Amino acid sequence: MSAKTRLPVGQEAIQLKGWFNAHRFLLLRRLSQAFFLLLFLLGPWFGIWWVVGTLAGSRTFEVLPLTDPLVLAQSIVAGHLPEVTALVGAVIVLAVYALIGGRVYCSWVCPINPITDAAHWLHERLGLQKGWQPKRTTRFWILGTVLLVSAITGTVAWELINPITMLHRGLIFGMGFVWALVVAIFLFDLVVSRRGWCSHICPVGAFYSLVGTKSVLRVSAVNRVDCDDCMDCYAVCPENHVISPALKGKDGETPLILSPDCTNCGRCIDVCSVDVFAFTHRYDNRAKKTVSTAVDAATEQAA
Amino acid sequence: MSATGKPRSVDRRRFLTDTARMAGGCAVAGTLLAYLARDARALPAEALRPPGALPESDFLSACIRCGLCVRDCPYDTLKLAELGEDGPATGTPYFTARTVPCEMCDDIPCVEACPTGALDPGLKNIDDARMGTAVLVDQENCLNFLGLRCDVCYRVCPVIDEAITLEPSHNTRSGHHAIFSPTVHADHCTGCGVCERSCVLPDAAIKVLPTRLARGSSAEHYLKGWEEKERKGAPVVEGIIDLPDRMPEIPGTSSEVPAFEPAFKLPGGGQ
Ligand code: SF4
Ligand code: SF4
Ligand code: SF4
Ligand code: SF4
Ligand code: SF4
C-alpha cells in the first residue's frame, strides 16, 4: 500500500471520478464565497442595491435584516440593548446556522477562508512542518476573553481587530490598512501554525461551532466499510479530528460526523475515491454494511 | 479525556496547568485588547458622529460597524473609519465638516437605517440633533470680525437666525462702521458643519467642535440675577436698587472719576 499513499492527495479520486467530480464541493464553495461577496459588492460596484451593509449587519431587498450574532452579543454584554431590527437580524442568522451547521459560515461565507486555504495549499506545496499547534480549546478561551473584554470596556471589543469584518468592510468601503492584517494571517498559517487561524484561534469560528452543535445538516461516513485507509480525507479536512469517530466507528456506532467543528465543507466527499462520505441529516444513522465492488475497482486501477 | 491507567492526580495536574496557562494567555491577550479599546475611545476633534449618535461611550457599545447609515446618507457625508487611520474607532461612522457636512435631511435617513439604535431612533426632528457645536474660533481672521460683510456662515446655516446670528457692534477701527459678529447659540446649533464647510477662508474661522470641547458649563449654584428677577417679577433682594459704578483708575490722576473725554474725535465733530 505504500506506493498508493504517496500519491498526491486526491489523485485517486480524480482518476476514478474525474477532476470535476473530485472538486465538486470545493468549486461550489468558492462559488458560494464569491457569490456572497458579490452580493455585497453589487451596490458599490454596479449600483444594484439588493444588499446593503456588511457581514456585521445588512439589509436585503429593503426588508430582510441580517445581523452578525457575535457582534451583537458583544454589543449586548457591553451594555447596549439593541433595537428590534438588529435582534431580528441576529435571530434569523442564528436559526439558519443552527440548522445547516454553524461552521458552514466558515467554509461557505467567511472571506478569510480563501486566504487561510491558500496559505494551507502553499504550506503543503512547500512541505512545511505543522508548526505551533495550540490546543483546540484555545479558540473558546479567546471567545470568552473577547466577551469579557467587551463587558469590561463597554465596547464591541473584537471588532477592533476582527479580520473578517474588517476585510469585508475593506472590500466594500475601502481598504485602509486591512491588507496588512490579511497578510499577517496568511503568514501565520503558512509559517507559524498549519491551519492555525481558523482551526485554533478564530473566536468567530468557535462561536459558530457552538451555534451548530445540534445542526441538522451533517456529513456522514455512510460507506465507511469501503474505506481503504488512503488518508486523503484526513489530509484535506481542516478539522481532521472530527473524522475518526465516524469513519472508524464500530457497527452500531453512528457514521455521522457529529463534531460541531466540522465545517460542512464537503472536501472529504470530494477526495474520497470510494465515496465513503455524503451529506445527509443528523437523524440518518444508516451505514452500509457490505463492502462494495468499487474498492476492488479502485485497487485494480491503482495497481 | 479519561485517564487510561494513569493515576488521576496526574490528569488533574495536567488539567490545572493547562487551564492556568490558557487563563494566563487570555489575560495577556485580553489586557492588550482592552488597551486597544481604551485607545479607540478618543474621538478626534475634527471627527463628528452622525445625527442622533449616542454619547461616545454608549455609541462604542452600540454601533456594530455595519455601514448602513453611511449607505443611506444621500450626500455621502458619512464615512466608516478605516483601520490604521488615526481617527475614530475602526469601522464606526463619522464625518468631517470641512469635507462634507451633514445636510440635515428632514427624514434623517441615517438614523432610520441604523439597526441597533446606535443612532437614536428617538431623534425625530433633525433640528434637535447635536452632532457638535460651532465655534467662531478665529476672530482675528474672520472677515466679518474685520469689519467686512462676508456673512457666508450665517447665510448657509440651516437654522439661520436661531443657531447663528449676526450681532452688530461698533467698529472702533474705522470709527463709523459696524461689525457684524457671527454668534453661535449653542441651544439651537445642530453641529451640522455647513458653516464650517462654507467659510471662505483657506482654514475655516468657524469650526464645529465636539460639544465637550466647544463648551464650558455654568456653575450649578450660579444664578443669573436678571433671569431670577424676570422669573420673580420683582427684584430678587428687596431694597437693593443699584450698586456703585466703578471706573478704572487713570495713571497720574487722583482716583477721582475723571470727566470722560473720547480719545479720538471724528473730524468734523461727529455727534
Ligand atoms: S474560523 Fe474564522 S476566519 Fe476561519 S473561516 Fe471560520 S469564521 Fe472565518
Ligand atoms: S469532515 Fe469533511 S466536511 Fe467536515 S470539515 Fe472535514 S472535510 Fe469538511
Ligand atoms: S441627516 Fe442626512 S446628510 Fe446628515 S448624515 Fe444623516 S443622512 Fe447624511
Ligand atoms: S447604521 Fe448604526 S450600527 Fe451601523 S454603522 Fe451606522 S451607526 Fe453603526
Ligand atoms: S453647525 Fe453652523 S451651520 Fe450648522 S447649525 Fe450650527 S451654526 Fe448653523
Side-chain angles (χ1 to χ4, degrees):
Chain A
M1 292 297 245
S2 60
K4 200 170 105 186
T5 44
R6 288 242 173 72
L7 273 179
V9 175
Q11 212 52 51
E12 254 189 294
I14 294 174
Q15 278 169 15
L16 280 177
K17 312 200 283 192
W19 189 90
F20 185 79
N21 272 328
H23 290 86
R24 228 171 2 139
F25 286 109
L26 182 62
L27 291 172
L28 274 178
R29 217 152 57 76
R30 294 287 176 252
L31 275 179
S32 152
Q33 287 160 346
F35 170 77
F36 283 110
L37 198 56
L38 195 72
L39 269 187
F40 284 94
L41 286 170
L42 277 181
W45 283 6
F46 309 108
I48 306 169
W49 295 103
W50 289 346
V51 177
V52 193
T54 64
L55 281 175
S58 63
R59 201 176 58 223
T60 305
F61 295 123
E62 287 302 316
V63 283
L64 175 71
L66 295 176
T67 318
D68 182 315
L70 179 56
V71 179
L72 203 68
Q74 292 171 72
S75 168
I76 291 170
V77 296
H80 175 72
L81 187 65
E83 292 294 308
V84 181
T85 319
L87 288 172
V88 169
V91 169
I92 297 175
V93 172
L94 279 175
V96 168
Y97 286 117
L99 221 61
I100 63 172
R103 297 205 65 206
V104 163
Y105 173 84
C106 295
S107 53
W108 296 78
V109 180
C110 178
I112 292 291
N113 177 278
I115 290 149
T116 55
D117 273 1
H120 182 249
W121 177 84
L122 193 59
H123 188 109
E124 294 292 285
R125 261 302 164 89
L126 301 176
L128 299 177
Q129 298 293 308
K130 268 192 198 179
W132 180 52
Q133 296 285 288
K135 282 193 175 307
R136 271 203 295 282
T137 47
T138 308
R139 50 184 154 185
F140 293 101
W141 281 86
I142 295 179
L143 176 61
T145 307
V146 159
L147 290 172
L148 194 69
V149 173
S150 290
I152 292 172
T153 59
T155 60
V156 185
W158 182 241
E159 290 317 292
L160 291 167
I161 48 173
N162 184 353
I164 303 167
T165 46
M166 278 188 191
L167 174 62
H168 200 247
R169 213 164 38 228
L171 290 167
I172 293 164
F173 283 95
M175 248 335 195
F177 205 55
V178 184
W179 60 267
L181 216 61
V182 171
V183 170
I185 289 185
F186 182 85
L187 290 178
F188 176 73
D189 267 27
L190 181 64
V191 294
V192 180
S193 174
R194 186 184 72 178
R195 296 234 184 248
W197 179 262
C198 289
S199 300
H200 298 285
I201 306 285
C202 177
V204 179
F207 174 80
Y208 277 109
S209 88
L210 291 178
V211 170
T213 354
K214 294 280 170 250
S215 74
V216 176
L217 180 69
R218 291 288 170 178
V219 172
S220 171
V222 251
N223 291 340
R224 61 185 173 198
V225 282
D226 285 352
C227 172
D228 60 1
D229 288 323
C230 74
M231 302 298 277
D232 280 3
C233 57
Y234 288 92
V236 292
C237 178
E239 301 277 359
N240 50 29
H241 61 277
V242 307
I243 295 180
S244 286
L247 186 62
K248 298 300 166 200
K250 308 240 158 27
D251 275 349
E253 280 171 17
T254 180
L256 289 167
I257 292 178
L258 286 175
S259 166
D261 287 349
C262 168
T263 68
N264 276 354
C265 68
R267 269 307 269 158
C268 50
I269 308 179
D270 277 349
V271 298
C272 183
S273 57
V274 288
D275 287 331
V276 165
F277 300 96
F279 274 120
T280 180
H281 55 83
R282 78 177 292 124
Y283 307 104
D284 176 12
N285 269 316
R286 284 169 304 159
K288 228 172 55 173
K289 293 273 161 54
T290 50
V291 181
S292 74
T293 47
V295 173
D296 309 324
T299 22
E300 258 164 44
Q301 189 133 359
Chain B
M1 289 247 173
S2 66
T4 45
K6 268 177 273 158
R8 256 184 75 224
S9 66
V10 174
D11 259 4
R12 190 188 313 154
R13 192 174 323 136
R14 160 120 40 86
F15 173 77
L16 287 177
T17 33
D18 278 355
T19 309
R21 193 176 296 156
M22 283 291 184
C26 285
V28 173
T31 311
L32 282 175
L33 193 58
Y35 180 77
L36 266 182
R38 201 202 55 171
D39 231 28
R41 247 181 241 166
L43 186 66
E46 69 281 5
L48 302 169
R49 291 297 187 196
L54 301 176
E56 186 65 10
S57 63
D58 297 336
F59 185 77
L60 287 178
S61 69
C63 172
I64 57 168
R65 291 87 159 135
C66 62
L68 287 171
C69 53
V70 176
R71 283 298 180 227
D72 283 10
C73 172
Y75 298 100
D76 284 341
T77 299
L78 303 178
K79 298 271 168 285
L80 286 188
E82 286 175 7
L83 180 68
E85 217 167 66
D86 197 14
T90 308
T92 54
Y94 72 100
F95 70 99
T96 317
R98 191 63 166 163
T99 318
V100 193
C102 165
E103 297 288 345
M104 290 177 58
C105 315
D106 279 336
D107 49 349
I108 333 184
C110 48
V111 171
E112 185 83 358
C114 179
T116 61
L119 307 181
D120 184 1
L123 179 72
K124 296 291 180 220
N125 179 354
I126 188 67
D127 287 350
D128 294 336
R130 292 293 175 268
M131 298 166 262
T133 308
V135 186
L136 200 123
V137 287
D138 190 356
Q139 302 191 352
E140 285 167 273
N141 281 314
C142 169
L143 297 178
N144 265 28
F145 258 91
L146 293 177
L148 305 167
R149 293 299 302 274
C150 161
D151 290 358
V152 169
C153 56
Y154 163 75
R155 277 179 281 124
V156 295
C157 176
V159 207
I160 186 170
D161 281 327
E162 288 182 66
I164 190 167
T165 55
L166 295 178
E167 301 295 327
S169 60
H170 179 58
N171 183 342
T172 51
R173 184 188 54 80
S174 74
H176 62 276
H177 294 98
I179 283 175
F180 290 87
S181 29
T183 307
V184 176
H185 304 277
D187 286 354
H188 292 107
C189 172
T190 63
C192 67
V194 173
C195 52
E196 177 178 340
R197 172 73 192 103
S198 313
C199 179
V200 299
L201 298 177
D203 287 308
I206 190 164
K207 292 197 165 84
V208 177
L209 302 177
T211 303
R212 81 190 137 83
L213 292 184
R215 303 211 66 189
S217 57
S218 83
E220 236 175 87
H221 61 273
Y222 189 80
L223 303 178
K224 290 169 186 146
W226 57 97
E227 280 176 4
E228 294 304 310
K229 189 173 166 187
E230 200 172 319
R231 188 171 310 154
K232 199 176 164 196
V236 185
V237 181
E238 300 297 340
I240 293 191
I241 317 291
D242 198 7
L243 293 168
D245 298 317
R246 285 192 213 109
M247 289 291 277
E249 276 180 36
I250 293 169
T253 63
S254 70
S255 60
E256 293 283 302
V257 176
F260 180 71
E261 264 296 303
F264 174 81
K265 282 186 189 151
L266 285 177
Q271 357 168 300

